[in-house]
Structures are given as C-alpha cells and as structure tokens.
Amino acid sequence: MSSKIKMLSFFIIILMVFLYVPLAMSGDGHSVYSYQLSKIIQVPGRQGITTDGTYYYVSCSKALYKCDKNGKVILENKEPFKTFPKEAPCNHIGDIDYFNGELYIGAEEFKQGRGFNIQIAIYDAGTLNYKRSIPFDEKSGQIEVCGITVDPIRKVAWMADWCNGRYLYQYDLTTGTYIGKLHLQPVPQYQQGVYYYDGYLFITADDGDAEYWEPDHLYRVKADPSATYGLVKLEKTFKEFTRAGEIEGLCVDPKTGQFLVLFNRGTRVVEGMPVGFYTGYKKEIHEVYIYDIVKNPEKKRH
C-alpha cells in the first residue's frame, strides 16, 4: 500500500471516530426512547417528581406538595417528619414515587456528608400524611438515599445513593426485607433520581458542571432481578435545559405516557451545598420538563 493511500485511510478513520463519538455520547440512535419536549412548568419543590396520572407530587428537602398539572399547589405538608419515630429522625427527602395510592419516599438524616436513619417512608397520597417506614439494612452498605422507585409488577423498591453510586439497592415491599444490590458498570456520577419503567431503571445524574454550562444526563440499566451487576447505557443528554444547573427526579405519567424530569436552575452549588446565585438570578427556579416519548426500534440500540 502506498504512503498516500495509508495517509488517506488514516484520515478516514479519524473522521469516522469524530463523527461517531458525539453521536454515541448524545444517546441518539442508542436510546430506548426518542424525546420531544412538550412543555415546561414551574413547581414548588426541588427534589422529586411523581404522578398518579391526575396530580403531580413534588418533594422538596423538607416538604411535600400535591399539584395540578400546571404546577398549582393543591395540598402541602411542610412538616413531613413531624410524626416520624423518635429513634429514627430524618431531615431530608430525595426523589419520590407513587404506587397504589401511596407516596414512596427516600428519607434520611443527612449530616457529615452522608445519610443516617435511611428508610423508605410511605405517605398517603390523598392527605400527604406519614403512614409507616421500612428501615434500610445496614448490611447493604448503603450510606445515602437520593431517590427511590417502585417496580409495580414485582412490588419491590429500588434506592439510589448520591454519595456512592456503585449500587442500586432493592427491597421487597411485601415483607420489608432487603433483597440485594445491583452493581452499576460504569457508575453514573452524582445520581439524583431513579425510576422503573418498561423493564429498565432510568437514572438521572447531575454530572454536568454548571460552571461551564455542561449538560446533565439520563442513563439506563436493565432491571434484571437475578443480576448482580448491570451494564449502564447513556439514554439522553439534556442539552435543551434553559440554563445548566441541577437535574433531580423523574417519572412517566401513566395516563399520557409523557416523561417528566425535575430540574433546578439559578443556584450555584459547590460540593452539594448552595453558595449563592448565578448572574441574573435572585432565587432558584424549579421546573418540570415534560416530554412526549416514542420507543425506538430495537435495532437502533446497543
């Protein structure tokens, strides 16, 4: 082979690499779903979002809200820990999920950079009142809970960990017992929300640096009950967010089939702590991005 042909082949390979990498990293052509932004609404909370198809339920660190589908507050509980057992106090709520008339909440006492008294706190969706808790199993090794989701078919809950995202932790909701953990490979950085849908666990990660306007991402892993590890795939890059900030919880509306993701913008957050606002902001804005989704053909996925 002549040197000119070798050089031409080299440049073709380089060109193919540069064309392929952005495509792969965007999730386009490899995602389970295609996402078309339908609308954006403001909501009162900054942590989690779930829905029963009629109402939206939003969590803040220390509050729960029931809203209509325009984000208008119908009911609120600003003292969600008031009736918690004294031996297991909590001060933080993460992402949440709805199942069978109840809200499932990842609750904890967050201090010293990690979570204590981690539990699955269950609230009445009609009244937003606390009902009961399922404590976590210390043998699991879990040190924080940023989000929770319910697999309604198997009646199990999965919990994610913001501090150490190597695993998702699984609990039987009927018996309240710890089942085991799923090792994520590779590990999404700074996980915020988790949601079970269509045989997958979808994970939001606050892995973009807002200082540089870097977007956050959505990942997926198969929810195989017999697996001890799962191969994590990039599902979506959120380039359309108005201003890079913090991605949070997620869910799918059972009536409309729309995908919802909660996103915060305006506040500068350094190592998990707010340190003022970005230029042009005097407060943090909490928004739910609502997408119409269509399942992609199987052959497009890797």
Side-chain angles (χ1 to χ4, degrees):
M1 184 183 292
S2 69
S3 59
K4 288 184 178 180
I5 295 177
K6 287 181 179 180
M7 185 63 70
L8 179 60
S9 300
F10 173 77
F11 281 115
I12 290 174
I13 291 172
I14 293 297
L15 179 61
M16 290 175 66
V17 168
F18 275 99
L19 288 174
Y20 174 77
V21 168
L23 179 63
M25 292 306 294
S26 71
D28 298 337
H30 303 273
S31 305
V32 175
Y33 291 93
S34 294
Y35 301 80
Q36 179 64 49
L37 184 61
S38 175
K39 63 178 180 178
I40 304 169
I41 64 169
Q42 288 194 23
V43 291
R46 72 177 318 278
Q47 293 289 350
I49 177 72
T50 190
T51 178
D52 58 6
T54 302
Y55 300 102
Y56 290 161
Y57 301 90
V58 181
S59 61
C60 206
S61 298
K62 298 180 181 180
L64 290 172
Y65 301 94
K66 185 175 184 176
C67 305
D68 65 18
K69 288 194 169 183
N70 292 313
K72 180 181 178 181
V73 176
I74 296 172
L75 185 66
E76 62 184 30
N77 180 354
K78 291 189 175 182
E79 295 182 300
F81 310 118
K82 188 176 182 179
T83 56
F84 266 43
K86 292 183 179 180
E87 64 273 15
C90 289
N91 62 9
H92 182 264
I93 294 172
D95 190 18
I96 63 179
D97 202 0
Y98 172 91
F99 174 62
N100 198 25
E102 296 176 320
L103 298 178
Y104 285 74
I105 291 167
E108 65 189 351
E109 183 182 24
F110 192 83
K111 61 182 181 179
Q112 300 168 1
R114 59 159 294 176
F116 298 86
N117 301 322
I118 297 170
Q119 56 196 279
I120 300 171
I122 301 165
Y123 289 73
D124 185 283
T127 64
L128 300 186
N129 291 333
Y130 171 76
K131 296 177 69 175
R132 63 191 186 279
S133 285
I134 298 174
F136 89 116
D137 190 328
E138 291 186 5
K139 291 181 291 186
S140 68
Q142 185 177 358
I143 60 172
E144 198 273 342
V145 56
C146 60
I148 186 172
T149 187
V150 174
D151 174 347
I153 300 172
R154 295 179 52 233
K155 294 182 175 59
V156 300
W158 295 85
M159 291 200 288
D161 184 333
W162 179 82
C163 291
N164 180 4
R166 292 183 65 196
Y167 300 97
L168 294 177
Y169 302 86
Q170 188 178 185
Y171 285 79
D172 187 310
L173 294 180
T174 302
T175 63
T177 56
Y178 170 64
I179 299 173
K181 55 190 176 184
L182 181 69
H183 187 184
L184 301 178
Q185 299 179 343
V187 178
Q189 184 184 36
Y190 300 135
Q191 295 165 35
Q192 295 284 30
V194 59
Y195 187 71
Y196 173 89
Y197 186 67
D198 194 23
Y200 289 91
L201 291 161
F202 292 89
I203 303 166
T204 50
D206 184 27
D207 51 0
D209 191 332
E211 295 291 304
Y212 302 99
W213 292 76
E214 294 175 357
D216 294 328
H217 299 88
L218 175 69
Y219 299 91
R220 73 179 189 274
V221 62
K222 287 187 177 179
D224 186 346
S226 62
T228 57
Y229 76 93
L231 184 61
V232 176
K233 297 286 188 177
L234 176 64
E235 175 69 11
K236 177 171 171 55
T237 301
F238 290 96
K239 297 179 180 179
E240 64 274 23
F241 283 165
T242 303
R243 201 254 182 256
E246 279 194 307
I247 197 170
E248 299 287 349
L250 69 161
C251 69
V252 173
D253 189 319
K255 286 190 177 179
T256 66
Q258 291 175 309
F259 171 76
L260 284 66
V261 60
L262 180 59
F263 187 78
N264 301 307
R265 59 185 170 94
T267 299
R268 292 188 68 231
V269 179
V270 179
E271 296 182 354
M273 299 300 294
V275 290
F277 301 100
Y278 287 108
T279 302
Y281 290 87
K282 295 183 179 180
K283 67 177 183 178
E284 185 174 66
I285 297 173
H286 321 302
E287 296 172 316
V288 174
Y289 280 61
I290 302 171
Y291 298 84
D292 295 324
I293 58 174
V294 177
K295 196 165 188 177
N296 291 328
E298 188 75 26
K299 65 180 181 180
K300 289 185 69 178
R301 281 173 253 144
H302 291 179

